[in-house]
Amino acid sequence: MIQTILCDLLGIEYPIIQGGMAWAATAELAAAVSEAGGLGVIGAGAAPPDWLKEQLHKTRLLTKKPFGVNVMLRSPYLEEIMEILLAEPVAVVTTGAGNPGKYVPALRELGTKVIPLVSSVALAKRLTRSGVDAFIAEGMESGGHIGELTSMALVPQVVDAVDLPVIAAGGIYDGRGLVAALALGAVGVQMGTRFMCAAECTIPQKVKNFVIKSRDRDTVISGTSTGHPVRALRNKLTRKYEEMEKNKAPVAEIEELGVGSLRLAMVEGNIENGTVMAGQVSAMVNKMQPAREIILEIMGGARNVIVRLNDQVV
Ligand code: TUI
């Protein structure tokens, strides 16, 4: 049994948080992960408020255990999304793609734990003053919107810079990754890509198969020139990005390519013209598994790693 302060903080059994992947982390997946003893998270992304309301109601029917919502701070519906989370509070709110500072007091007032994703030490330090509960330090191995540092470099730097619990994300797939994160000083992990091929994940089978057949160098970073780099599986759309960036196309034109493209992949199943956001561990995902099996496999694997490491201590 591996228990950390994250388990006590969130009221969960295992120190594993499921990534709040926009359009991919729906009620079914979040509820399955929470039921299995991790923390399931609904990804609000850029979805309209009614979508989130429906997902919240569905999740509450499927589990009585704690779950979270990831708020993408660049959502066009940000204010309405926050209003919903104040009217129908959830156990945990994780945030991405911005600074959640001004929303922290109202959420915490209701007992919601607020855990921002950070990709730099500077943002983590700034947010300590807003009264957040913990941080998720996300390395650039992750899928989606990323920073510049790898998890190996970022996690210990955030651990050293703040007095709050740090959860590691980016490049983590199994028990080896979990133990590595703990070794860096983290109290748990967040995994997104690993859960994309969970049986309960509602993304189209075509997208799951694309992840399953991907190899180590199949993710690429697009949009660096716009200031919003995104990691996704290489396809027709990322080649278009590459071409436009090489030709120094105007930022607005490059950004236009991305509009609606995540939904196109994750809901419509268009793996050529959509953005199939996935992390570098995509190559390790090679089959479909129920969320419970994923979590138990990670925990069993971590235990074996610790036993093996312990044998090496003389
Ligand atoms: O947020 C993510 N990953 C994401 S969000 C997303 S959906 C999206 N849609 C349209 C445009 C952009 C994204 C897909 N994947 N990860 C957490 C994360 N947050 N990584 C990096 C950051 C971040 C970046 C800049 C957080 C804060 C920040 O600046 C804050 C500030 O104001 O200083």
Side-chain angles (χ1 to χ4, degrees):
M1 197 67 180
I2 299 166
Q3 275 201 331
T4 72
I5 58 165
L6 184 64
C7 302
D8 305 323
L9 180 71
L10 305 184
I12 55 179
E13 217 173 322
Y14 307 114
I16 299 174
I17 299 179
Q18 166 241 314
M21 304 167 285
W23 294 118
T26 60
E28 289 83 353
L29 179 62
V33 170
S34 286
E35 276 296 294
L39 185 82
V41 176
I42 299 166
D50 282 347
W51 182 90
L52 177 62
K53 272 191 193 163
E54 192 188 320
Q55 298 299 316
L56 284 172
H57 296 159
K58 256 194 212 170
T59 310
R60 289 196 166 105
L61 289 176
L62 293 168
T63 187
K64 298 287 167 263
K65 297 200 175 173
F67 67 90
V69 170
N70 175 265
V71 176
M72 205 279 279
L73 292 160
R74 292 170 30 136
S75 164
Y77 305 105
L78 182 57
E79 295 306 324
E80 291 110 302
I81 296 287
M82 285 298 178
E83 272 168 35
I84 294 171
L85 295 173
L86 294 179
E88 308 175 41
V90 291
V92 181
V93 164
T94 62
T95 67
N99 182 337
K102 73 170 186 181
Y103 303 103
V104 176
L107 287 167
R108 293 199 76 214
E109 183 85 10
L110 295 165
T112 299
K113 304 274 187 260
V114 183
I115 311 184
L117 274 106
V118 297
S119 51
S120 72
V121 169
L123 181 61
K125 276 188 170 164
R126 221 181 306 146
L127 282 171
T128 329
R129 294 190 279 270
S130 333
V132 299
D133 293 279
F135 291 105
I136 302 172
E138 187 190 67
M140 55 83 84
E141 298 93 325
S142 299
H145 180 48
I146 52 171
E148 290 175 11
L149 299 180
T150 60
S151 296
M152 183 72 98
L154 176 70
V155 173
Q157 292 189 62
V158 176
V159 167
D160 288 347
V162 301
D163 275 332
L164 291 167
V166 176
I167 297 133
I172 301 165
Y173 171 76
D174 56 15
R176 293 172 296 182
L178 170 56
V179 176
L182 299 179
L184 295 175
V187 298
V189 291
Q190 179 196 266
M191 298 180 172
T193 306
R194 176 83 206 241
F195 287 107
M196 284 179 78
C197 293
E200 299 87 349
C201 182
T202 52
I203 60 173
Q205 190 61 44
K206 253 189 173 170
V207 178
K208 294 185 178 183
N209 292 343
F210 197 41
V211 169
I212 288 170
K213 81 171 204 296
S214 68
R215 297 201 288 190
D216 58 348
R217 299 170 64 228
D218 285 345
T219 71
V220 290
I221 302 170
S222 307
T224 303
S225 63
T226 68
H228 298 107
V230 161
R231 183 184 299 282
L233 286 172
R234 185 186 294 107
N235 63 4
K236 197 169 152 192
L237 180 63
T238 68
R239 287 196 189 92
K240 211 180 218 171
Y241 267 108
E242 203 181 332
E243 183 68 21
M244 286 178 78
E245 297 200 83
K246 198 172 74 195
N247 295 333
K248 307 231 177 306
V251 167
E253 233 172 83
I254 298 175
E255 279 194 326
E256 185 60 28
L257 269 189
V259 177
S261 68
L262 182 58
R263 189 182 179 283
L264 187 63
M266 301 300 179
V267 179
E268 308 292 330
N270 191 330
I271 58 169
E272 275 311 315
N273 303 304
T275 305
V276 188
M277 293 184 187
Q280 289 185 326
V281 300
S282 172
M284 290 203 267
V285 178
N286 53 27
K287 60 172 189 284
M288 304 261 297
Q289 284 178 297
R292 183 182 302 277
E293 193 178 300
I294 293 175
I295 289 179
L296 293 180
E297 190 179 297
I298 295 165
M299 295 313 299
R303 192 181 181 283
N304 292 342
V305 174
I306 292 172
V307 169
R308 178 163 58 77
L309 291 177
N310 202 40
D311 275 351
Q312 292 170 14
V313 179
V314 288

